[in-house]
Amino acid sequence: MSVKSDFQSGLLVMAAVLITSSAAGQIADAPDDSVAGIPVNYTEAEIGDYNLPDPLICRDGQVVDNPEIWSGKRRPEICALFEQVQFGHAPPGPEPIRYQVFDSGTSAFDGKAKRTQVTIYFSKDANEPGMDLLYYIPADAGKPVPVLLYIAFTANSMVVDDPGIRQGFIWNREHKKVPADNGRRFDQLNVPAVLARGFGVATVYYGDIEPDFQEGAALGVRNLLAKPENGSPYAGPWGAIAAWSWGLSRCLDYFERDGDVDAGRVAIMGISRLGKTVLWAGALDPRFALIIPVCSGESGAALSRRNYGETIAHITAPARYHYWFVPGYQEYADKVDLLPVDSHMLLAMLAPRPVLLVTGNTDKWSDPYGEFLAALAAGPVYRLLGKEGLNTDKMPPAGVPVLNDIGFYMHDGGHGLVPSDWDVILDFLVKHLQPEN
Ligand code: GCU
């Protein structure tokens, strides 16, 4: 049965109207480019029409008109589709996992913070690599606090300016793990600023979970968990993004044992490919309380069906990032209309939890307007669950945040975080996770 819903016709019309009004006014068209030999479109009028799958209609045509059908049927169905076509199916966490706390509650930042460092091992074998989790709690907390967990491009010792952090190791361009003494990228956490708002803050290096190159699977958790002695059945192909997301859930496992952290209020944040990672981690693991993907772009929060900036064809091109996904994802490069999901459904899977999309008005490759449209299209699911969507169909100008349960903020600038994002991020965290309670 084919059901053409208001949702679908509404979005088509919406796309056409908004293109000529808000988006075009804020993000100017630009000449085509080419990446991996594939042209990149930066002209709104060239995008063409597309139909988004309706998040509130099940595959068998049943309309989702109450929260029970959503959580009992449609949400699991969407989750299975994402596992099947995009990210793959991660095995459950190994039991029991090993933790080695090597720095516990040490005073830091002029006595304002308590610092803890722990290695989380993914297998029973301590010779296998582990992941170093670093976190700070306000020294005067007195009760479990909510925490912002940041997944970083580099080792903890490079992310926070604190001489007490054990020097980590990072993967270099030659695919060797070397001491982390250079390579700072987008990453710097202003720990005192986060603590001052009543939150703890934690960071973990994604390369500790699995290195980010095509042969990386052999050196990270995907290979480790494939070993029968690790007790986690290898459930089929899963991509690097699923592996990094899996690692975030293991951090949360640890926080659930830690009396300083309110494990029911752990937010996750990541930039770019790690923005995609926090989206998938949040979708899969409902224990994460709030999700902040920054410039997550294609195969993150930006609609794949919009031919603007990066597309599935670009991201899965052989010399680029196909290993982030299941092998079959590549097949949608030239038939995106057949993709049974799109990014609005990834956002919908986060409902009713708060999500803040941070984008940049000159980061055209990541298609900020495509992220806005996805957020808009996830709105009906949030509303079904009694939450607030964007409450506007006009993309706010750069610098003007929307901090509803679905939040959107476009900074004036490009790819990654800019310093002023922090005020918005902290306001969003405080509004939704209420550290004073
Ligand atoms: C590339 C890639 C993006 C990704 C980004 C990043 O630009 O094409 O999809 O988000 O790298 O992670 O920095």
Side-chain angles (χ1 to χ4, degrees):
M1 183 173 70
S2 152
V3 181
K4 177 104 176 158
S5 68
D6 289 350
F7 172 87
Q8 285 178 328
S9 28
L11 276 184
L12 272 184
V13 174
M14 177 188 82
V17 170
L18 290 181
I19 282 162
T20 49
S21 54
S22 63
Q26 291 181 39
I27 302 178
D29 289 345
D32 278 8
D33 195 353
S34 168
V35 169
I38 306 164
V40 187
N41 172 51
Y42 288 123
T43 304
E44 282 289 339
E46 300 293 316
I47 289 170
D49 288 345
Y50 54 86
N51 261 313
L52 294 180
D54 190 330
L56 291 178
I57 296 187
C58 299
R59 296 204 100 194
D60 64 6
Q62 182 178 11
V63 174
V64 182
D65 55 8
N66 65 55
E68 289 69 40
I69 303 179
W70 169 256
S71 55
K73 181 170 175 181
R74 182 58 170 152
R75 190 183 184 283
E77 180 175 280
I78 292 173
C79 185
L81 287 170
F82 272 110
E83 287 181 316
Q84 195 189 318
V85 302
Q86 190 166 333
F87 296 113
H89 189 94
E95 285 288 344
I97 204 161
R98 272 184 2 102
Y99 305 106
Q100 193 201 345
V101 179
F102 59 90
D103 178 25
S104 176
T106 308
S107 177
F109 289 104
D110 297 327
K112 292 194 195 73
K114 285 199 305 182
R115 182 189 63 231
T116 298
Q117 302 181 73
V118 52
T119 306
I120 299 176
Y121 290 99
F122 305 124
S123 80
K124 292 168 198 148
D125 182 354
N127 296 317
E128 299 278 13
M131 149 179 92
D132 281 357
L133 174 66
L134 161 71
Y135 61 98
Y136 298 86
I137 299 296
D140 58 359
K143 61 181 176 186
V145 288
V147 165
L148 173 64
L149 168 59
Y150 177 64
I151 180 164
F153 283 101
T154 189
N156 301 341
S157 49
M158 309 291 294
V159 174
V160 180
D161 194 7
D162 171 2
I165 303 171
R166 181 162 88 179
Q167 187 182 45
F169 289 81
I170 51 171
W171 295 94
N172 68 9
R173 287 184 187 282
E174 289 72 46
H175 299 176
K176 298 273 178 299
K177 217 168 185 189
V178 297
D181 50 15
N182 62 47
R184 219 161 274 221
R185 218 176 133 184
F186 306 112
D187 292 319
Q188 274 294 281
L189 277 183
N190 183 345
V191 170
V194 183
L195 298 183
R197 301 294 293 270
F199 281 80
V201 58
T203 187
V204 67
Y205 168 46
Y206 82 139
D208 277 0
I209 306 166
E210 187 160 299
D212 184 5
F213 40 80
Q214 192 166 320
E215 306 76 24
L219 302 165
V221 293
R222 281 186 285 168
N223 185 48
L224 196 63
L225 296 179
K227 296 180 182 170
E229 66 269 24
N230 288 332
S232 246
Y234 182 56
W238 43 311
I241 288 176
W244 301 323
S245 303
W246 182 94
L248 284 175
S249 287
R250 304 295 71 83
C251 295
L252 191 47
D253 294 346
Y254 174 79
F255 284 139
E256 284 184 334
R257 306 154 43 103
D258 183 316
D260 285 338
V261 172
D262 180 349
R265 288 187 292 171
V266 172
I268 39 176
M269 175 167 121
I271 301 171
S272 205
R273 66 200 68 186
L274 299 178
K276 309 182 212 298
T277 298
V278 296
L279 279 166
W280 182 235
L284 211 52
D285 191 337
R287 296 175 300 165
F288 289 117
L290 183 151
I291 295 92
I292 307 178
V294 179
C295 299
S296 62
E298 174 57 47
S299 307
L303 291 174
S304 292
R305 278 171 172 74
R306 255 171 69 86
N307 175 23
Y308 185 99
E310 188 173 28
T311 61
I312 295 179
H314 298 110
I315 207 167
T316 62
R320 298 190 77 250
Y321 302 117
H322 56 90
Y323 60 90
W324 291 350
F325 308 97
V326 286
Y329 191 50
Q330 252 164 347
E331 289 165 22
Y332 292 95
D334 57 4
K335 50 177 190 205
V336 66
D337 285 353
L338 298 184
L339 190 66
V341 290
D342 211 319
S343 61
H344 63 308
M345 292 154 84
L346 191 54
L347 297 179
M349 283 184 69
L350 305 176
R353 295 163 292 159
V355 54
L356 173 65
L357 306 183
V358 179
T359 65
N361 62 353
T362 63
D363 182 18
K364 298 179 190 206
W365 177 241
S366 307
D367 189 12
Y369 188 52
E371 293 203 21
F372 175 81
L373 290 177
L376 194 57
V381 177
Y382 272 76
R383 284 192 290 278
L384 181 79
L385 302 183
K387 297 291 178 176
E388 231 182 346
L390 290 172
N391 284 351
T392 174
D393 60 5
K394 302 260 182 300
M395 184 164 73
V400 178
V402 174
L403 300 182
N404 299 337
D405 297 297
I406 302 183
F408 181 88
Y409 180 62
M410 183 165 70
H411 58 229
D412 188 8
H415 195 60
L417 277 179
V418 302
S420 57
D421 291 338
W422 277 103
D423 292 336
V424 176
I425 288 168
L426 292 172
D427 285 351
F428 190 76
L429 284 168
V430 168
K431 175 174 178 187
H432 292 283
L433 294 185
Q434 302 180 343
E436 65 281 3
N437 292 326

